[in-house]
Amino acid sequence: MPGFTLPRALRTTRITRTHKISAAVVASASCAAALALTAAPGNAETTAAQAPAGVKPVSANGLPLTAKDRADDGAKDRQVASSLSAGLKVTAVAKQGHTAQQAADRSADRKIIAAPKAAAPKAAPKAAPKRYADNLDGWIRESLDIMKAKRIPGSYEGLHRNIMRESSGNPNAVNNWDINAINGIPSKGLLQVIQPTFNTYHVSGTPHKLTDPVANITAAANYAAHRYGSIDNVNSAY
């Protein structure tokens, strides 16, 4: 390489203070440009609007993108975003419905567990036994209830009429003068019944005592029903 020698005037020219300041300014500008290039991200993309006028975006086949291509791409992006949004909404609604159903099931289970057992039906109280007056009216009424249960005919009037004729309403009345008395089996009680007749026509459920008012009435009515059809048909000694 041929040698090159500065002219003497240049070699002998001294660098003034102004020259030094100019060189420093140039050096600083060069460093700032270098730092700006280094700070730029390596993966930054240059949009079509920022690209130099000479560079145009291209499609996958290498051809420049048209306005229609850009519109189609935007529509596809919006369609995908809409589908994702709809899917998220459906999933959220289904999850919410499933959660509500689980809560309802738990509530139903708690109600079943907490429901008190139904109380056993109480037995109907037993009817109090019917009470009758301890007099002629009460004896006749009690006798009529027993006769009704045993299907023995007779009425209050028929019983009362015959009782008043036979004993005047005295349950301890005794006939000591008729043929039965002569034979040793006198008639006794409200309806003047002899012992053999009482034994034969005694009504179960009543005392087995000839002078008991109710037992005497029911036995006599039972005897009259067999012989006369009913105590109501008896109008004299029987």
Side-chain angles (χ1 to χ4, degrees), residues 104-116:
D105 293 341
R106 286 194 296 271
S107 178
D109 292 340
R110 285 195 294 270
K111 288 181 180 178
I112 292 173
I113 293 172

Side-chain angles (χ1 to χ4, degrees), residues 24-235:
V25 171
V26 172
S28 298
S30 299
C31 290
L35 287 175
L37 291 174
T38 304
N43 57 350
E45 296 180 358
T46 303
T47 60
Q50 295 171 334
V55 179
K56 295 184 179 180
V58 296
S59 62
N61 56 10
L63 296 177
L65 286 175
T66 62
K68 183 177 181 304
D69 292 333
R70 294 192 189 94
D72 291 344
D73 289 344
K76 289 178 181 178
D77 291 342
R78 288 191 296 274
Q79 185 177 4
V80 170
S82 177
S83 298
L84 289 174
S85 177
L88 290 174
K89 289 181 180 178
V90 171
T91 302
V93 170
K95 186 175 181 180
Q96 185 178 10
H98 180 66
T99 302
Q101 183 62 44
Q102 286 181 328
D105 293 341
R106 286 194 296 271
S107 178
D109 292 340
R110 285 195 294 270
K111 288 181 180 178
I112 292 173
I113 293 172
K117 293 183 179 179
K122 294 183 179 179
K126 293 182 179 179
K130 190 175 181 179
R131 296 184 178 276
Y132 303 91
D134 189 20
N135 54 29
L136 181 59
D137 178 73
W139 299 332
I140 293 175
R141 291 185 185 282
E142 184 175 357
S143 297
L144 285 170
D145 286 343
I146 294 172
M147 290 164 59
K148 182 179 180 180
K150 301 293 183 178
R151 298 178 182 275
I152 299 171
S155 66
Y156 186 100
E157 186 277 330
L159 291 175
H160 187 269
R161 172 168 42 84
N162 281 283
I163 288 171
M164 295 308 293
R165 186 189 68 249
E166 294 291 332
S167 66
S168 299
N170 179 9
N172 296 312
V174 180
N175 184 336
N176 289 317
W177 55 266
D178 64 3
I179 188 62
N180 292 319
I182 295 172
N183 293 330
I185 48 173
S187 303
K188 297 179 181 181
L190 291 172
L191 283 170
Q192 292 294 285
V193 182
I194 60 176
Q195 190 67 48
T197 302
F198 178 81
N199 293 339
T200 302
Y201 294 98
H202 171 259
V203 177
S204 61
T206 63
H208 207 287
K209 181 181 178 181
L210 180 58
T211 56
D212 178 84
V214 175
N216 187 278
I217 293 172
T218 54
N222 192 24
Y223 164 73
H226 281 82
R227 186 165 184 179
Y228 305 105
S230 172
I231 190 70
D232 294 348
N233 298 329
V234 179
N235 295 299

